[in-house]
């Protein structure tokens, strides 16, 4: 936008955990405006996680938060043309973008997993990400490696 920054939309907290980040996650999970269906998928996934981590002293919400933190990238590379050549320039990511990229990766790789039903897939991806494994965490590590290998071009930054 040229004139001014857009107003930040206020996202209502979810009914079970009272957290606005959960609602944001559910909004990204949603297809065709079916929010109640995506809430059901998310809560079913959380119930599956609750059963799987019953022996450990952590609750399912903590597993979700840990998974999200492990999937959030700190830096990304952006392409910039300088003198006819295109350079991959590593740049820091602002907090909101980190969060949304992490959520998108978790959902994307949960959809790609094998399993029966989205709740099952999502729960297994969240559990894997909370243990620092799984495809979402691998994508983060690949992004960080790419940024590290292109660190020489950081002085071209925006």
């Amino acid at each position: 936008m040229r004139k001014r920054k857009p107003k930040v939309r206020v996202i209502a907290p979810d009914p079970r955990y009272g957290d606005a980040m959960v609602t944001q996650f559910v909004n990204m999970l949603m297809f065709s405006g079916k929010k109640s269906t995506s809430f059901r998928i998310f809560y079913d996934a959380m119930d599956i996680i609750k059963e799987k981590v019953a022996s450990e002293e952590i609750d399912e919400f903590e597993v979700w938060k840990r998974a999200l933190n492990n999937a959030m990238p700190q830096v990304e590379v952006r392409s910039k043309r300088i003198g006819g050549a295109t350079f991959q320039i590593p740049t820091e990511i602002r907090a909101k973008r980190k969060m949304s990229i992490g959520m998108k990766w978790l959902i994307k790789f949960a959809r790609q997993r094998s399993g029966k039903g989205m709740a099952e897939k999502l729960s297994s991806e969240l559990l894997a990400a909370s243990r620092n494994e799984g495809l979402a965490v691998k994508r983060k590590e690949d992004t960080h490696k790419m940024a590290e290998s292109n660190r020489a071009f950081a002085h071209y930054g925006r």
Side-chain angles (χ1 to χ4, degrees), residues 50-67:
K50 191 177 197 175
E51 290 169 16
K52 287 183 180 173
V53 297
S55 59
E56 301 165 35
E57 285 116 38
I58 50 171
D59 64 332
E60 71 277 11
F61 187 63
E62 194 58 44
V63 169
W64 177 75
K65 280 199 147 174
R66 197 180 299 163

Side-chain angles (χ1 to χ4, degrees), residues 8 50-51 81 84 93 98 109-110 128 134 142 149 155 157:
V8 179
K50 191 177 197 175
E51 290 169 16
R81 271 189 69 124
I93 312 177
K98 278 183 203 176
F109 292 118
D142 291 346
S149 63
H155 65 281

Side-chain angles (χ1 to χ4, degrees), residues 14-150:
D14 78 299
R16 192 190 283 189
Y17 302 106
D19 194 355
M21 276 187 357
V22 171
T23 308
Q24 190 180 347
F25 189 84
V26 165
N27 287 347
M28 288 183 183
L29 190 63
M30 176 171 52
F31 274 136
S32 307
K34 295 187 174 271
K35 194 176 231 173
S36 58
T37 306
S38 70
F39 261 119
R40 190 177 312 116
I41 289 168
F42 180 76
Y43 289 144
D44 288 349
M46 295 305 259
D47 291 338
I48 293 167
I49 291 170
K50 191 177 197 175
E51 290 169 16
K52 287 183 180 173
V53 297
S55 59
E56 301 165 35
E57 285 116 38
I58 50 171
D59 64 332
E60 71 277 11
F61 187 63
E62 194 58 44
V63 169
W64 177 75
K65 280 199 147 174
R66 197 180 299 163
L68 190 56
N69 279 332
N70 291 344
M72 284 194 308
Q74 305 300 315
V75 288
E76 67 180 348
V77 289
R78 293 208 158 156
S79 298
K80 190 172 184 184
R81 271 189 69 124
I82 298 161
T86 307
F87 293 103
Q88 298 274 7
I89 299 166
T91 52
E92 290 282 321
I93 312 177
R94 59 181 203 281
K96 278 232 166 162
R97 184 162 163 76
K98 278 183 203 176
M99 193 78 65
S100 64
I101 288 174
M103 288 179 183
K104 283 174 190 169
W105 285 351
L106 281 170
I107 292 166
K108 177 186 175 185
F109 292 118
R111 285 194 176 122
Q112 288 178 8
R113 264 181 181 268
S114 61
K116 196 172 189 306
M118 184 59 192
E120 189 76 39
K121 295 180 192 180
L122 184 62
S123 67
S124 55
E125 182 63 35
L126 288 172
L127 278 166
S130 70
R131 296 183 183 126
N132 261 328
E133 45 199 47
L135 292 172
V137 176
K138 187 180 181 307
R139 170 65 71 89
K140 178 191 102 167
E141 287 166 358
D142 291 346
T143 306
H144 282 210
K145 274 184 201 159
M146 202 184 299
E148 183 64 33
S149 63
N150 288 306

